[in-house]
Amino acid sequence: MAMTSQPRDDTGDAGIPARLKEVQERIRAAAVRAKRTPEGIELLAVSKTHGADAIRTAYACGQRAFGESYVQEALGKMVLLEDLDITWHFIGRVQANKTRQVAAHFHWVHGLADPAHARRLNDQRPADLPPLKVCVQVNLSGEASKAGLEPSAVAALIAECETLPALQVCGLMTLPAPAQDEEAQRRPFRTLRVLRDQLATPTRPLRCLSMGMSDDLEAAILEGATLVRVGTAVFGPRPYNTK
Ligand SMILES: *Cc1c(COP(=O)(O)O)cnc(C)c1O
């Protein structure tokens, strides 16, 4: 069980505790600037392309939520990490032929953008598991991945999800194109928050705003992010790019 199929990078893994601390400190400082409590902002450690050992190292520092983008790669690591109490977030592009595995093995799905995928995830969620938590991905101008729904289509997908008992809609997610200055970074995050405020109701608070990554987490927190998805700043540069 000691071997993983991932290339091991000892230098990178050794740096994880310090980088994790640094990211936690960035989150704390941004929360102070935003006059928010740091506890209201969850760090999702994006471990895609990094090995199970890297996740173990971060886990030993107290990190519990990990984000993966590629289903097969994630399932391999889950087997190696079965002994840990990890909350797994799927942050990749949902594909119809992978929904069964996503529904069976993940706790969260960010990036839901298709009612057919929502129905498949609902139907395929094992009955003994709690509802799958989902965030609806919104494509704001310049979306890097071109994924996500137009803002005008979000309400309908949320309404659809509410008819699906094995899904729990927790909020909205976005992945904007990179921008240099903080004001430009903040714009799409602000748009997502405003959209959330428009769609939220007392019974459907849409509390989660999944936004912000290594290079723009401060901007996202200033605009209300409740979950930042951080890969590079925690684990170092990705050893390969599977896209
Ligand atoms: C890879 C990825 C991240 C993390 O990106 P970093 O720039 O490495 O922090 C966040 N969100 C999504 C959807 C990703 O695919």
Side-chain angles (χ1 to χ4, degrees), residues 23 26-27 46 55 65-66 70 74 83 98 106 116 131 138 145 148 163 169-170 176 198 209 216 218 232:
V23 170
R26 284 176 62 191
I27 291 171
V46 174
I55 296 176
F66 292 88
Y70 312 105
D83 55 312
K98 299 278 172 60
F106 284 86
V138 187
S145 64
T163 70
V169 189
C170 293
Q198 289 166 353
L209 284 176
D216 56 13
E218 284 86 359
T232 310

Side-chain angles (χ1 to χ4, degrees), residues 46 48 69 91 173 175 213-214 229-232 238:
V46 174
K48 67 183 179 201
S69 298
I91 62 168
M173 178 271 211
L175 175 61
M213 313 197 293
S214 292
R229 309 178 308 266
V230 183
T232 310
R238 283 185 273 280

Side-chain angles (χ1 to χ4, degrees), residues 90 92-99 102 109-113 117-118 121:
F90 184 70
R93 210 181 263 261
V94 180
Q95 292 171 285
N97 63 348
K98 299 278 172 60
T99 51
V102 170
V109 172
H110 303 245
L112 185 67
H117 292 162
L121 289 167

Side-chain angles (χ1 to χ4, degrees), residues 171-192:
L172 304 180
M173 178 271 211
T174 199
L175 175 61
Q180 294 314 312
D181 65 287
E182 192 173 83
E183 185 44 42
Q185 290 175 347
R186 287 177 68 162
R187 228 167 279 133
F189 298 143
R190 189 178 311 141
T191 305
L192 194 72

